[in-house]
Amino acid sequence: MNMAADSFDEECDYLFKAVLIGDSAVGKSNLLSRFAKDEFHLDSKPTIGVEFAYRNVKVGDKVIKAQIWDTAGQERFRAITSSYYRGALGALLVYDITRRETFEHLKKWLYELREFGCSDMVVVLVGNKCDLGSSREVNLEDGQSLAQLEGLLFLETSAKENLNVEDAFNQMIAKIHEVTSQKSLEAKMNELPAPILQGKKEIIFIDHDEVSATKQTTTCCSY
């Protein structure tokens, strides 16, 4: 993994856009800060509008530049929704395991994501702040069940303790690479010309009298 402040200027094979979505104060900005710069701010201020960061990630022999967009979770900023999702190939859908209402609101976020995002967007469900286990209001099994029901990847993370943060982003990026590679392969296959059969030409002559005689013989034999 390559982590550098100037990763925007580094060479890459692909550029993938992904978004962070979820209620306000679930820890989206700290997840991004931990992934992009390996930083955590306990007194992190609410995001105003949209912010984004870059991080280069190696998948196989390819270098992928991940452009991760972070937006405010407050309703008054939802006017930016359509432009926020435009071109996004992946999303981290984040809730706070210590606040049940943030989990209950996931259906709304999923609806919005599927309305404005692309149909094959890769979505990772993230239960953040798992270091606060004593204050847990959402069981691990609840997250697993929702992810299975909706066809999502799932992890619990702690931006503060840097637990599973890398895995959450990297699983999303690797899955995006898999999906886009498959689509690229299918597109190339569809562009291939129809196969041309080559070989010696063989002409077969049919003697109609011989065929008629055979039919008569067959008819006679059937009695």
Side-chain angles (χ1 to χ4, degrees):
M1 295 302 170
N2 187 9
M3 182 182 299
D6 59 348
S7 63
F8 175 75
D9 298 321
E10 295 174 16
E11 292 295 323
C12 68
D13 297 294
Y14 301 100
L15 173 64
F16 292 161
K17 175 184 174 181
V19 297
L20 286 159
I21 56 175
D23 284 4
S24 180
V26 295
K28 300 188 298 296
S29 296
N30 266 321
L31 284 169
L32 179 56
S33 179
R34 178 64 80 180
F35 177 68
K37 297 178 287 186
D38 196 22
E39 295 177 0
F40 177 83
H41 304 284
L42 196 58
D43 58 346
S44 178
K45 302 292 190 296
T47 303
I48 305 299
V50 174
E51 298 175 357
F52 60 87
Y54 291 92
R55 166 84 184 271
N56 280 5
V57 176
K58 194 94 179 293
V59 177
D61 61 345
K62 302 297 183 183
V63 176
I64 297 170
K65 190 181 299 298
Q67 183 191 61
I68 314 294
W69 289 47
D70 177 26
T71 187
Q74 298 98 319
E75 288 295 333
R76 67 179 183 273
F77 293 113
R78 301 324 299 157
I80 61 174
T81 296
S82 60
S83 60
Y84 183 64
Y85 287 108
R86 189 176 300 123
L89 301 176
L92 255 62
L93 176 57
V94 187
Y95 67 94
D96 179 348
I97 70 157
T98 70
R99 294 161 56 210
R100 182 77 192 183
E101 69 273 14
T102 66
F103 182 80
E104 301 296 342
H105 295 163
L106 291 176
K107 291 284 189 179
K108 176 200 71 173
W109 289 107
L110 272 171
Y111 175 82
E112 181 180 282
L113 185 152
R114 286 165 177 165
E115 181 180 5
F116 295 102
C118 62
S119 59
D120 54 358
M121 184 183 290
V122 175
V123 183
V124 181
L125 179 62
V126 174
N128 195 32
K129 305 186 183 182
C130 67
D131 55 291
L132 303 176
S134 59
S135 304
R136 178 186 288 272
E137 293 184 0
V138 183
N139 293 327
L140 176 68
E141 293 75 19
D142 293 338
Q144 291 172 331
S145 297
L146 180 63
Q148 185 173 9
L149 179 66
E150 299 290 347
L152 316 175
L153 301 172
F154 172 70
L155 295 93
E156 284 197 344
T157 62
S158 168
K160 182 180 179 181
E161 301 294 333
N162 197 14
L163 178 64
N164 287 340
V165 177
E166 289 273 317
D167 285 347
F169 283 95
N170 289 339
Q171 283 190 32
M172 175 184 66
I173 293 165
K175 187 66 177 178
I176 292 172
H177 180 257
E178 178 185 326
V179 171
T180 54
S181 297
Q182 182 63 33
K183 287 173 68 176
S184 177
L185 178 62
E186 290 172 358
K188 288 179 181 177
M189 292 295 290
N190 291 334
E191 291 173 0
L192 291 176
I196 299 174
L197 299 178
Q198 296 181 342
K200 294 182 178 179
K201 185 182 292 184
E202 184 176 358
I203 302 175
I204 301 175
F205 295 97
I206 298 177
D207 188 331
H208 292 283
D209 293 334
E210 185 177 325
V211 171
S212 299
T214 303
K215 286 184 178 179
Q216 290 174 7
T217 303
T218 304
T219 303
C220 292
C221 291
S222 62
Y223 286 101

